[in-house]
Amino acid sequence: MFAANQLFLEISKKSPIPLDGTKDNLNYSRENSLFDGFDYNTSYQAEMFQVADCIQAAEAIEKERETSFAVLFPTRNLTK
């Protein structure tokens, strides 16, 4: 369980757009042909490329600091 929590914390530091895109591309590719999956992935990457996230990530690496990215989707408070 500890390893799973560590993995979650590491993934949560990443930009949400590539994570969501990876999930979307995997789901599409699972149900379509290999070449259709390649085409979908190429189109998706071209549409979702976020220059601001790339710049922010590069600056964080250069300055050896943590970074945070904008929330991709707003979350609801489920405790109400």
Side-chain angles (χ1 to χ4, degrees):
M1 187 62 139
F2 178 77
N5 286 334
Q6 291 300 104
L7 180 60
F8 169 77
L9 290 173
E10 187 64 31
I11 290 172
S12 68
K13 296 177 185 176
K14 308 296 183 201
S15 174
I17 292 176
L19 296 175
D20 187 61
T22 299
K23 181 179 175 183
D24 188 48
N25 280 289
L26 288 172
N27 286 335
Y28 183 88
S29 295
R30 180 176 52 195
E31 298 173 4
N32 294 281
S33 74
L34 178 66
F35 292 107
D36 286 345
F38 287 156
D39 287 340
Y40 185 80
N41 190 6
T42 301
S43 298
Y44 192 94
Q45 287 181 5
E47 294 169 6
M48 295 297 166
F49 186 72
Q50 297 293 311
V51 176
D53 281 359
C54 293
I55 292 170
Q56 189 172 358
E59 287 175 352
I61 291 169
E62 181 182 326
K63 297 177 182 174
E64 297 179 3
R65 64 171 170 79
E66 294 290 320
T67 187
S68 62
F69 299 97
V71 175
L72 184 58
F73 301 108
T75 57
R76 295 182 297 140
N77 184 351
L78 299 177
T79 59
K80 292 183 179 179

